[in-house]
Amino acid sequence: LRAERGPSTSEGVETRLYDNVVLTRAAYEDKPPLRVDSEFMLVLSEEDIARSDKLVTITSGDTVLTGIGMEFNN
């Protein structure tokens, strides 16, 4: 997970990522690598959840999905 900037609460429980946010997951078993691109993402570390209410592009193998908003539960 990376971004241009991302303030976090002092406990690291909630992080808001801005600008060129990229979330990746390596390939495993028979699943291709996954990449999620957005301009904003809220990461809730204790819940293993990432959310966005902005434009999101998800790429998994040859499949590309684009939409507004998402919730990614690891």
Side-chain angles (χ1 to χ4, degrees), residues 30-46:
D30 63 337
K31 303 207 184 300
L34 177 78
R35 178 180 170 123
V36 180
D37 294 272
S38 186
E39 288 303 310
F40 168 77
M41 202 167 297
L42 169 65
V43 178
L44 304 171
S45 61
E46 291 185 350

Side-chain angles (χ1 to χ4, degrees), residues 24-69:
T24 59
R25 183 180 66 200
Y28 68 96
E29 296 176 2
D30 63 337
K31 303 207 184 300
L34 177 78
R35 178 180 170 123
V36 180
D37 294 272
S38 186
E39 288 303 310
F40 168 77
M41 202 167 297
L42 169 65
V43 178
L44 304 171
S45 61
E46 291 185 350
E47 300 173 42
D48 281 338
I49 290 178
R51 291 185 181 131
S52 182
D53 61 353
K54 304 295 183 197
L55 179 65
V56 177
T57 301
I58 302 170
T59 306
S60 180
D62 294 333
T63 303
V64 178
L65 178 67
T66 302
I68 304 293

